[in-house]
């Protein structure tokens, strides 16, 4: 049974990013549909899979990480406008029976991601 998971690590502190809001979108050509909005827990993860089983279909998705709101809440002195605000990660699901883990490693001036396990 396929599933989609994510987590966020704050590279500035080396700690999980607690309370970061994430939106999930499904993209179909020029059309996009908002599927859900979530918030990371104390471990920087979503409680349970983002999508699970029949919810995870072959297609293109985008996780939108509300990094700016999170970073400003950390009491960092950041410039206006922020260098990073919303961090979109667009990815394809080719096998709906697989596990897709899409983590975000975040700082105020950069980020990275990969397909985890």
């Amino acid at each position: 049974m396929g599933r989609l998971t994510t987590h966020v690590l704050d590279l500035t502190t080396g700690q999980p990013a607690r309370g970061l809001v994430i939106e999930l979108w499904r993209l179909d050509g020029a059309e996009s549909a908002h599927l859900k909005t979530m918030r990371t827990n104390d471990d920087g993860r979503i409680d349970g899979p983002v999508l699970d089983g029949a919810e995870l279909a072959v297609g293109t998705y985008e996780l939108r990480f509300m990094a700016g709101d999170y970073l400003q809440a950390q009491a960092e002195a950041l410039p206006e406008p922020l260098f990073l605000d919303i961090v979109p990660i667009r990815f394809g699901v080719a096998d709906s029976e697989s596990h897709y883990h899409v983590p975000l490693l975040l700082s105020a001036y950069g980020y990275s991601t990969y397909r985890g396990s």
Side-chain angles (χ1 to χ4, degrees), residues 51-106:
L51 293 176
D52 196 18
E55 292 179 317
L56 182 65
V58 170
T60 304
Y61 295 86
E62 187 171 275
L63 287 167
R64 297 178 186 171
F65 297 84
M66 303 303 145
D69 293 340
Y70 166 80
L71 292 165
Q72 287 178 320
Q74 302 312 300
E76 287 189 42
L78 297 174
E80 286 293 333
L82 297 172
F83 181 69
L84 292 176
D85 189 8
I86 298 171
V87 174
I89 299 177
R90 187 172 293 183
F91 59 96
V93 170
D95 178 4
S96 63
E97 297 296 315
S98 290
H99 178 196
Y100 288 80
H101 183 66
V102 183
L104 178 68
L105 308 177
L106 175 67

Side-chain angles (χ1 to χ4, degrees), residues 23-36 60-62 64:
E23 294 178 353
L24 175 66
W25 293 75
R26 181 171 167 101
L27 309 175
D28 187 13
E31 306 249 344
S32 58
H34 177 255
L35 300 180
K36 60 173 67 174
T60 304
Y61 295 86
E62 187 171 275
R64 297 178 186 171

Side-chain angles (χ1 to χ4, degrees), residues 7-52:
H7 79 271
V8 185
L9 178 65
D10 184 331
L11 292 176
T12 303
T13 64
Q15 299 292 318
R18 296 169 185 88
L20 192 144
V21 174
I22 305 169
E23 294 178 353
L24 175 66
W25 293 75
R26 181 171 167 101
L27 309 175
D28 187 13
E31 306 249 344
S32 58
H34 177 255
L35 300 180
K36 60 173 67 174
T37 300
M38 307 146 286
R39 184 177 300 270
T40 57
N41 62 22
D42 287 347
D43 197 32
R45 299 177 184 276
I46 302 303
D47 292 327
V50 175
L51 293 176
D52 196 18

